[in-house]
Amino acid sequence: MAGWGDDPVMTELIAAIADGWRPSAVREERDSSGTSFDIVTLEKEDGRKEFRSDHLAFHRYVEGLMEDHGLSYS
């Protein structure tokens, strides 16, 4: 997992939620090197967006999203 510094993906995710997109799913994936990524799916009307990051700050933010929106890893 990447460190605690700025994560542009998390910044985009936060902006999308502020714009009315809502979290609908969260999952975790690993790449071939074993790096773990959190993936958040947002929905708004008929659209869907996914945000994917291996950043530690993103992971912590996603944990809060799951708690706030009654989601779990799928």
Side-chain angles (χ1 to χ4, degrees):
M1 227 174 234
W4 274 104
D6 292 339
D7 180 13
V9 176
M10 187 171 82
T11 301
E12 291 176 28
L13 174 61
I14 291 169
I17 291 171
D19 192 36
W21 291 82
R22 60 177 167 47
S24 61
V26 178
R27 69 182 189 278
E28 182 181 33
E29 290 183 357
R30 292 190 183 273
D31 66 12
S32 61
S33 69
T35 301
S36 177
F37 293 87
D38 287 309
I39 302 166
V40 177
T41 302
L42 300 183
E43 294 183 358
K44 184 177 179 183
E45 296 158 7
D46 292 329
R48 297 180 96 185
K49 292 183 179 185
E50 283 194 348
F51 296 84
R52 179 181 192 262
S53 179
D54 69 338
H55 203 279
L56 184 56
F58 186 86
H59 175 73
R60 297 291 183 229
Y61 183 75
V62 169
E63 288 178 331
L65 278 180
M66 289 190 306
E67 186 175 312
D68 293 346
H69 294 274
L71 300 171
S72 60
Y73 286 111
S74 55

